[in-house]
Amino acid sequence: MNPEMQFNSLSKEKRLEWEKQIVALCRYYLFRYTLLSIKEASLLPVFSLLYQSIEWIYTAFVFINTVSDEEKKQFSCFFGEEPSVLRIAVFFSKELEHDEGNIRNLLYFLPLFN
């Protein structure tokens, strides 16, 4: 099943959670990543990174919310909390976004950067 079909299989509450939080998440990434673009020669890699980040968080959100409760317990990165959109974004932020080396690596591997 592709992520869009999986998203449609989520409960109405989970779909609404995504729809409500995605706007704030996009606003944040636009602000955060356009500041990064000051050091870049082009905005294209930055917008590609923004898109890839949202796509990663979306895929993680869909995946985590379609597994069983027993499987959810195996995601130690949430420390027993409900894996909401914002919790997934915080995890992404801690692991990738706040490490400039990781961001540079992501930018390097994005097709628009080369």
Side-chain angles (χ1 to χ4, degrees):
M1 198 183 299
N2 70 33
E4 185 177 350
M5 290 175 70
Q6 285 181 296
F7 179 79
N8 291 331
S9 73
L10 295 176
S11 68
K12 185 177 181 178
E13 289 125 3
K14 288 294 180 184
R15 290 192 312 265
L16 286 174
E17 176 189 342
W18 175 260
E19 291 169 12
K20 288 168 72 176
Q21 298 298 327
I22 190 63
V23 176
L25 194 57
C26 287
R27 250 188 264 131
Y28 169 74
Y29 282 139
L30 276 170
F31 173 76
R32 169 81 168 102
Y33 291 158
T34 53
L35 289 178
L36 179 69
S37 69
I38 294 170
K39 298 178 185 177
E40 301 298 328
S42 170
L43 284 175
L44 287 177
V46 174
F47 283 110
S48 183
L49 178 62
L50 188 148
Y51 174 81
Q52 294 295 327
S53 298
I54 296 294
E55 185 174 52
W56 185 89
I57 291 168
Y58 168 79
T59 303
F61 176 77
V62 169
F63 173 72
I64 290 167
N65 284 291
T66 55
V67 299
S68 69
D69 288 339
E70 191 61 37
E71 290 171 309
K72 279 183 191 176
K73 292 177 186 175
Q74 296 176 10
F75 294 103
S76 61
C77 57
F78 299 114
F79 306 104
E81 295 178 27
E82 178 67 23
S84 66
V85 174
L86 293 180
R87 190 71 189 113
I88 294 167
V90 166
F91 174 74
F92 177 82
S93 179
K94 283 182 180 180
E95 295 301 317
L96 297 170
E97 184 187 0
H98 289 287
D99 184 324
E100 191 166 331
N102 285 339
I103 292 292
R104 295 267 167 236
N105 288 335
L106 285 175
L107 283 171
Y108 178 75
F109 288 108
L110 293 174
L112 291 176
F113 188 72
N114 297 321

